[in-house]
Amino acid sequence: MDSVYLRKGYVHMASMKDVAKLAGVSVSTVSRVISNSIPVDEKTREKVERAIEAVNFKPNLLAQGLRSKSGNIIGLIVPEILHESFIYFIKYIERYVSEIGFNLIIGNTSNKPKLESEIIDNMIRRNVDGIIFSRVSDKSKVMRIIEKTDIPVVIIDRALGQEDIPTVVLDNYDAGRLCAEHLVALGHEKFACITGPRDIFLSRDRLRGFVDVLKKNGLGLPESNIFEGDFKFETGKKGMQYFLETGAEFTAIWGQNDLMAIGAMNELVRRGRRIPDDISVVGMDNINAAEMLVPSLTTITQPFEEMARISVDMILKERNGETIPEKRVVLSPGILIRETTSRARIAT
Amino acid sequence: MDSVYLRKGYVHMASMKDVAKLAGVSVSTVSRVISNSIPVDEKTREKVERAIEAVNFKPNLLAQGLRSKSGNIIGLIVPEILHESFIYFIKYIERYVSEIGFNLIIGNTSNKPKLESEIIDNMIRRNVDGIIFSRVSDKSKVMRIIEKTDIPVVIIDRALGQEDIPTVVLDNYDAGRLCAEHLVALGHEKFACITGPRDIFLSRDRLRGFVDVLKKNGLGLPESNIFEGDFKFETGKKGMQYFLETGAEFTAIWGQNDLMAIGAMNELVRRGRRIPDDISVVGMDNINAAEMLVPSLTTITQPFEEMARISVDMILKERNGETIPEKRVVLSPGILIRETTSRARIAT
DNA sequence: TTGTAAGCGTTATCAT
DNA sequence: ATGATAACGCTTACAA
């Protein structure tokens, strides 16, 4: 008799009705005890609380959500769960959201606009209290939500130009600046860079910051020392292959994320170049692998946890009708100096 | 006028009532059109469908869930989101679940029993259709759900002895076997192993499989060549330090997951040992980093996607009252041979 | 085939 | 301070 595998009869999860009956009061009184908003006589409160204990009552969240139009749930939409930096958002947002008594529901768009619509609809149909986008493929979708419903929306990680949507982003210009300053301080004079897609703000901002610092120091980055990647390991390798085959001259390279930087390192090592003795390498994101390599990767860091907290806070503020002082929060990157960067070889 | 930041008036999301009114029918008819369960006149159906289009109606999932006691949502409980192998479960389970029209809600226990209880309760309160556990810290919690509610439960990745709970696991014995066979075939004769916690079935099973093959080949694994780790990078390093300092003799080592194997590699490289010329290394899981290293890591693979699909399918079957043919599904690992393993040096 | 009405488990508005 | 009662948006007997 495999009773485990047979659908057991529905086991009544205690409802307010049960509590009310046991405590000898009405359901409204029970509700009041729980919400703690309206004064209740001490004695009845105690009776009710005992009853709640006795039947192990927990309010049904669907009923609450239906009635109050707030599902106590926040939606997070990412284009790709396994992506090295999104998992940090997932982790920290989940943690923070649950700390404040919400649940997190995750949608993975796989970068398909059609899926994106579906996911958004689904979330709306769950009366989500807000939606956090990590990278938006189609701006209009976000605008539609904002215009047609009252659901708070926050965009994290990738800005959309100067729209009027609450946004939490990294100061990507500063990321490039930090990187260049570190390398220049080490005496490097010739550089290369593997960027993200050039049509993305974030990649361009990073590059601008990088180049500006070089210029300020009388140095520069020739276009032939720039390779456009897609933030994946493979294009990091490809970029380095390209540089090495075209004979580009440089003693330091920046991969605009760790994956590409590691790809570049991989190619260097396979061709017998020494890091950092021949070439210094900097990445960005500080993914797990960065410190597992030999040599360990110097990298630009993002305050993922802070970004997560701020974006959730913004959702809650919007939801409570509070005005958000700054609709565009810009956070600063840091730099973690490890073993892939060292002083440039003395020029001869 | 920052209208975006002011809570806008509630924008009525079309309900069945609206559709019914527009189509000139009752709500029940609308419901029937949607559920497609009960015959509806072709003409009214068309009227209703037009109305649905017109107001862009999507049934509210909370109301549906409340009424039907099925929230159309599946809960996944993991002890740690950022963990290298759980993210694969998250990814694949999310994908599959959403393919079949469900949402996924994720709970992160951080290995805290108290949180575990809370998360389970929360899920129950959302009328989840099932709960998938990836590693359970406290068996009794699972048993409680199974006994006290009718919520389908599946355990994935880590078995709990021989309980009567539907489970999807890897054949860990086979994982050890595969690894040993590969190394023995390469001519290795002395081995070392960095295991997971020895009090976990999975670690012991892997080790048994490994050792059994060695024995079958007239070889062995002395206790002094076994180091107990915790599946993290650091203990991989520590393990190798230990072996090197105690002068353990071996030409091949297995780290029971990639993180530990990579930790061991790290230590080897830092001490000037060559991989695989001096020491061959095998890992397990095939995490991203495995192929990014030089040399790239030979590793035992797990069918994460298949495990995900099967566990979701089991949930659905339980939910539909179907009997599950085998309550314990055991899947086979594979081996991905890359660059960290090579023929043993000829013994002199 | 279709409509009416009760009910899912809450909260909020009335009275009392 | 407390209790009826309606309502949230849907499904499902039961009638018609």
Side-chain angles (χ1 to χ4, degrees):
Chain A
M1 218 200 57
D2 256 346
S3 73
V4 174
Y5 305 108
L6 300 175
R7 181 113 174 127
K8 292 189 289 289
Y10 174 67
V11 180
H12 191 65
M13 252 290 255
S15 74
M16 287 185 56
K17 228 175 176 172
D18 304 308
V19 177
K21 198 171 294 171
L22 185 57
V25 297
S26 72
V27 287
S28 0
T29 302
V30 178
S31 174
R32 283 173 194 126
V33 169
I34 290 171
S35 70
N36 227 327
S37 52
I38 290 166
V40 172
D41 186 86
E42 250 329 294
K43 288 187 174 172
T44 44
R45 151 162 271 120
E46 273 173 26
K47 267 195 306 188
V48 171
E49 274 165 354
R50 266 200 304 277
I52 288 177
E53 280 293 311
V55 301
N56 189 28
F57 167 77
K58 303 269 170 58
N60 181 295
L61 291 166
L62 298 192
Q64 280 188 329
L66 176 60
R67 177 60 224 225
S68 60
K69 296 218 172 307
S70 147
N72 249 268
I73 197 164
I74 285 178
L76 171 62
I77 299 183
V78 296
E80 174 55 66
I81 288 181
L82 268 191
H83 185 285
E84 298 288 346
S85 71
F86 298 146
I87 55 176
Y88 291 97
F89 287 130
I90 296 179
K91 177 195 167 89
Y92 291 122
I93 291 178
E94 192 282 334
R95 179 191 289 175
Y96 188 43
V97 148
S98 72
E99 267 176 32
I100 57 177
F102 283 73
N103 281 130
L104 180 68
I105 185 172
I106 294 183
N108 184 355
T109 66
S110 308
N111 279 313
K112 294 177 194 142
K114 204 191 137 206
L115 260 181
E116 190 163 286
S117 287
E118 258 176 48
I119 289 170
I120 293 172
D121 275 339
N122 245 13
M123 288 184 173
I124 295 178
R125 293 165 64 195
R126 282 196 191 283
N127 295 7
V128 286
D129 295 285
I131 298 180
I132 299 174
F133 285 88
S134 183
R135 304 251 173 110
V136 201
S137 66
D138 181 359
K139 181 169 61 183
S140 62
K141 294 283 164 32
V142 186
M143 296 309 294
R144 188 172 59 81
I145 304 180
I146 295 198
E147 279 157 19
K148 302 192 81 166
T149 80
D150 61 341
I151 296 183
V153 168
V154 165
I155 295 173
I156 191 170
D157 183 50
R158 185 180 291 179
L160 293 174
Q162 296 303 327
E163 298 296 345
D164 237 6
I165 309 173
T167 307
V168 181
V169 286
L170 186 80
D171 188 334
N172 283 293
Y173 180 89
D174 212 42
R177 196 181 56 71
L178 268 179
C179 177
E181 281 175 354
H182 172 58
L183 293 174
V184 167
L186 287 174
H188 290 274
E189 299 183 335
K190 308 223 169 177
F191 308 85
C193 183
I194 301 176
T195 70
R198 299 286 282 269
D199 61 347
I200 293 180
F201 276 105
L202 170 160
S203 313
R204 293 210 300 270
D205 287 348
R206 290 180 189 179
L207 187 58
R208 271 198 308 116
F210 189 73
V211 170
D212 281 2
V213 169
L214 299 189
K215 282 188 183 148
K216 205 172 301 169
N217 287 275
L219 304 164
L221 184 68
E223 186 62 35
S224 55
N225 282 22
I226 301 178
F227 184 88
E228 178 175 354
D230 62 358
F231 290 125
K232 300 209 178 115
F233 174 75
E234 266 315 315
T235 57
K237 269 183 88 83
K238 288 236 181 71
M240 184 54 75
Q241 281 163 17
Y242 167 81
F243 291 140
L244 262 28
E245 278 156 20
T246 57
E249 289 182 24
F250 59 95
T251 59
I253 181 167
W254 184 33
Q256 286 194 343
N257 74 349
D258 284 347
L259 245 27
M260 295 192 298
I262 293 173
M265 283 176 71
N266 187 297
E267 196 61 27
L268 282 171
V269 172
R270 290 195 182 280
R271 300 202 180 206
R273 306 301 183 95
R274 289 165 310 158
I275 306 171
D277 312 304
D278 297 337
I279 307 269
S280 285
V281 180
V282 181
M284 174 157 178
D285 282 350
N286 191 28
I287 66 176
N288 276 336
E291 64 163 345
M292 305 191 317
L293 300 171
V294 184
S296 57
L297 179 64
T298 292
T299 192
I300 305 296
T301 58
Q302 299 196 42
F304 290 120
E305 183 161 8
E306 196 182 354
M307 293 173 85
R309 289 187 107 80
I310 291 178
S311 59
V312 173
D313 284 338
M314 284 173 102
I315 291 279
L316 297 182
K317 278 187 186 144
E318 283 187 77
R319 177 167 163 276
N320 297 335
E322 294 174 39
T323 46
I324 297 179
E326 35 185 356
K327 44 196 164 197
R328 185 188 179 86
V329 176
V330 181
L331 298 177
S332 298
I335 183 166
L336 197 49
I337 297 169
R338 288 199 276 232
E339 301 168 342
T340 52
T341 47
S342 69
R343 292 207 64 76
R345 291 163 302 184
I346 311 298
T348 37
Chain B
M1 217 199 52
D2 258 346
S3 75
V4 173
Y5 306 108
L6 300 177
R7 181 113 173 127
K8 293 189 288 290
Y10 175 66
V11 180
H12 191 66
M13 253 289 257
S15 74
M16 287 183 59
K17 226 173 176 174
D18 303 310
V19 177
K21 198 172 292 170
L22 184 57
V25 298
S26 74
V27 287
S28 20
T29 302
V30 178
S31 173
R32 283 171 196 130
V33 169
I34 291 172
S35 69
N36 227 328
S37 52
I38 291 167
V40 172
D41 186 87
E42 251 328 295
K43 288 187 173 173
T44 44
R45 151 162 271 121
E46 274 174 25
K47 267 194 306 187
V48 171
E49 275 167 353
R50 266 200 304 276
I52 287 177
E53 280 294 310
V55 300
N56 187 30
F57 167 75
K58 303 268 169 59
N60 181 296
L61 292 166
L62 297 193
Q64 278 188 329
L66 178 59
R67 176 58 225 231
S68 59
K69 298 218 172 303
S70 147
N72 248 268
I73 196 163
I74 285 178
L76 171 61
I77 299 184
V78 296
E80 176 53 69
I81 288 182
L82 268 191
H83 186 283
E84 299 289 344
S85 71
F86 299 146
I87 56 178
Y88 291 98
F89 288 130
I90 296 179
K91 177 195 168 90
Y92 292 122
I93 291 178
E94 193 282 336
R95 179 192 288 174
Y96 188 44
V97 147
S98 72
E99 267 176 32
I100 57 177
F102 283 73
N103 281 130
L104 180 68
I105 185 173
I106 294 183
N108 185 353
T109 65
S110 308
N111 279 312
K112 293 178 194 142
K114 203 191 139 207
L115 260 182
E116 191 164 287
S117 286
E118 257 176 47
I119 290 169
I120 293 172
D121 276 338
N122 244 15
M123 289 183 172
I124 295 177
R125 293 164 64 192
R126 283 197 190 282
N127 294 8
V128 286
D129 296 284
I131 298 180
I132 299 174
F133 285 87
S134 183
R135 305 251 173 113
V136 201
S137 65
D138 182 356
K139 182 170 61 182
S140 63
K141 294 283 162 34
V142 185
M143 296 309 294
R144 190 172 58 81
I145 304 179
I146 295 196
E147 279 158 18
K148 302 193 81 165
T149 80
D150 62 342
I151 297 182
V153 168
V154 166
I155 294 174
I156 191 171
D157 182 50
R158 185 180 294 180
L160 292 175
Q162 296 304 326
E163 298 297 344
D164 236 7
I165 309 173
T167 306
V168 182
V169 285
L170 187 79
D171 187 335
N172 283 294
Y173 180 90
D174 212 42
R177 196 183 55 73
L178 268 178
C179 178
E181 280 173 355
H182 171 58
L183 293 174
V184 167
L186 287 174
H188 290 275
E189 300 183 336
K190 308 222 170 178
F191 307 86
C193 183
I194 300 176
T195 70
R198 299 285 281 271
D199 60 347
I200 293 179
F201 276 105
L202 170 160
S203 313
R204 293 208 301 269
D205 287 347
R206 290 180 189 179
L207 187 58
R208 271 198 307 116
F210 190 73
V211 171
D212 281 2
V213 169
L214 300 189
K215 282 188 183 149
K216 205 173 301 170
N217 287 274
L219 304 165
L221 182 68
E223 186 62 34
S224 56
N225 282 21
I226 300 178
F227 184 88
E228 178 174 355
D230 63 359
F231 290 126
K232 301 211 177 111
F233 174 74
E234 266 314 316
T235 56
K237 268 182 90 83
K238 288 236 180 73
M240 184 53 78
Q241 281 164 16
Y242 167 81
F243 291 139
L244 263 27
E245 279 157 19
T246 57
E249 288 181 26
F250 59 95
T251 59
I253 181 168
W254 183 33
Q256 286 193 343
N257 74 348
D258 284 348
L259 245 27
M260 294 192 299
I262 293 172
M265 284 176 70
N266 187 297
E267 195 60 26
L268 282 171
V269 171
R270 290 195 183 280
R271 300 202 180 206
R273 306 303 182 91
R274 290 165 311 157
I275 305 171
D277 312 304
D278 297 335
I279 307 271
S280 284
V281 180
V282 181
M284 172 157 181
D285 282 351
N286 191 27
I287 65 176
N288 276 336
E291 65 163 345
M292 307 193 314
L293 299 171
V294 186
S296 58
L297 180 64
T298 292
T299 192
I300 306 295
T301 59
Q302 299 196 43
F304 290 120
E305 183 162 9
E306 196 183 355
M307 292 173 84
R309 291 186 105 81
I310 291 178
S311 59
V312 173
D313 283 339
M314 285 173 101
I315 290 280
L316 297 181
K317 277 186 186 145
E318 283 186 76
R319 178 167 162 276
N320 297 334
E322 294 174 38
T323 46
I324 297 178
E326 34 184 359
K327 45 196 165 197
R328 185 187 179 86
V329 176
V330 180
L331 299 176
S332 297
I335 183 166
L336 197 50
I337 297 169
R338 289 199 276 231
E339 301 168 342
T340 52
T341 47
S342 68
R343 292 207 64 75
R345 292 163 301 182
I346 311 295
T348 39

